[in-house]
């Protein structure tokens, strides 16, 4: 989230302008086509989720079996592809952590922290270790130092929780540590591969530049590179005109009921995007009906509405176009119930039921997400897999299912052509689409 000072940050393609209510805006200097990379930003500090530890290189995040990764002989707690990744990680902060890591993580002060606080403590430790090495090296003009200064200049979050204990020895005053920690909840990124979180990281320039929208015109993805830290890329989800503000989603816009509270408590702002304006105008969101028949009737009504809507009211902000008898679809239990219906039917081979739920899910996504949002593509791919499984299980060749499979693969490919590859090179949605497309030819 951007603050008002430090407004000189710009690239050839984007620039920051002060916002009327105080928050800077990132504006497109040029037109971007859908799928263009707007900004690339390497990680300043990151930490793997505990479940990923020893499966991924602690430096470049390459996914590998624990046998093929080399363990740091100092602490025996960090893993690397090879000596190059180890050396790069050593220079970017591990040197300050290695000798102290095991006593730090086994201390009762660390063990007493909740799991998410442990992640924060490790990330803060990694940030301080990296910054300490920059201070030691007196590298005032490096990109790394700019990144650190940028992080310090970000707006703090609204919560004033005290900083957890940190690992490396350093010379920063306690107030500076607290200041840095106060920027954590609202500025850290979940790092994902194939849109599943595997690490947390700090990308100061990206935090500095982009405001949030629940109907964003851009989204974040992560690129893994050999012997380099993970890179965040901001990608245009649709064509963006010169002069448009570029926004990314800080959280999943599908959290239609809780997101306002999250913005308020974690980020300290009120979202004024078109989607939030509609949600505010609707007010109390009723629960969806419990009965199967009534629930299905709501789904049918939703599909009918989305089929004829020109633009989603959630993208235009015109709440008068959103029928109030559909307000219950905004209840977060609606999407979770519908997703369960789809998964269960798909798993049990109830093809017709799965397709019905899938159509309702797609309608919901079209309503609340912008075009080409990753979740849209991920669901269409699940639908394609359901079609494929049904074709394989049933002994008869059913033309309508083959057609549905083809349609789904084309639609999923369209979404992922815009977003491009993300995270691990293998087994991602793009690879799955190719595998299914090839398999289809053998039908
Ligand atoms: Zn590596
Ligand atoms: Zn070590
Ligand atoms: Zn919003």
């Amino acid at each position: 989230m951007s603050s008002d000072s430090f407004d000189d940050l710009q690239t050839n393609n984007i620039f920051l302008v002060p916002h009327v209510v105080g928050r800077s805006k990132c504006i497109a200097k040029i037109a971007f086509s859908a799928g263009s990379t707007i900004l690339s930003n390497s990680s300043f500090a990151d930490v793997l989720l505990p479940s990923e530890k020893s499966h991924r290189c602690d430096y470049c995040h390459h996914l590998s079996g624990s046998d093929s990764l080399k363990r740091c002989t100092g602490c025996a707690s960090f893993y690397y592809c090879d000596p190059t990744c180890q050396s790069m990680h050593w220079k970017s902060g591990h040197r300050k952590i290695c000798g102290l890591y095991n006593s730090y993580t086994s201390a009762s002060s660390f063990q007493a922290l909740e799991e998410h606080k442990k992640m924060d403590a490790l990330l803060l430790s990694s940030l301080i270790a990296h910054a300490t090495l920059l201070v030691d090296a007196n590298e005032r003009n490096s990109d790394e130092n700019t990144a650190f200064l940028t992080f310090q200049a970000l707006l703090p979050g609204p919560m004033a929780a005290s900083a957890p204990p940190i690992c490396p020895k350093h010379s920063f005053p306690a107030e500076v540590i607290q200041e840095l920690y106060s920027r954590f909840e609202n500025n850290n990124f979940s790092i994902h591969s194939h849109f599943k979180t595997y690490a947390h990281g700090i990308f100061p320039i990206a935090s500095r530049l982009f405001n949030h929208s629940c109907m964003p015109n851009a989204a974040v993805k992560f690129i893994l590179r050999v012997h380099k830290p993970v890179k965040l890329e901001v990608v245009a989800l649709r064509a963006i005109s010169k002069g448009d503000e570029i926004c990314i989603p800080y959280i999943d816009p599908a959290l239609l009921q809780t997101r306002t509270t999250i913005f308020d408590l974690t980020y300290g702002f009120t979202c004024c995007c078109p989607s939030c304006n509609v949600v505010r105008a609707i007010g109390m969101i009723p629960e969806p009906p419990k009965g199967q028949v009534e629930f299905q009737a709501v789904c049918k009504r939703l599909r009918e509405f989305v089929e004829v809507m020109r633009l989603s009211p959630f993208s235009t902000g015109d709440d008068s176009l959103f029928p109030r008898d559909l307000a219950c679809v905004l209840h977060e239990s609606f999407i979770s119930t519908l997703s369960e219906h789809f998964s269960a039917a798909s798993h049990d081979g109830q093809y017709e039921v799965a397709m019905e739920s899938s159509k309702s899910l797609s309608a919901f996504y079209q309503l609340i997400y912008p075009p080409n949002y990753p979740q849209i593509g991920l669901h269409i791919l699940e639908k394609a897999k359901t079609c494929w499984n049904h074709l394989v299980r049933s002994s008869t060749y059913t033309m309508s299912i083959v057609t549905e499979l083809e349609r789904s693969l084309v639609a999923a490919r369209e979404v992922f052509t815009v977003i491009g590859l993300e995270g691990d090179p293998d087994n991602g949605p793009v690879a799955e689409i190719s595998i299914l497309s090839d398999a289809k030819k053998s039908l």
Side-chain angles (χ1 to χ4, degrees), residues 72 75 94 98:
C72 171
C75 59
H94 190 60
C98 187

Side-chain angles (χ1 to χ4, degrees), residues 384-429:
K385 286 186 205 167
T386 304
C387 295
W388 172 255
N389 289 339
H390 192 69
L391 285 166
V392 171
R393 279 180 201 166
S394 60
S395 47
T396 50
Y397 181 97
T398 316
M399 194 55 208
S400 63
I401 303 178
V402 176
T403 308
E404 193 62 61
L405 170 63
E406 278 168 356
R407 255 196 231 136
S408 305
L409 288 173
V410 168
R413 200 187 287 278
E414 255 173 44
V415 173
F416 289 107
T417 299
V418 170
I419 301 159
L421 292 167
E422 191 212 41
D424 301 314
D426 301 326
N427 308 322

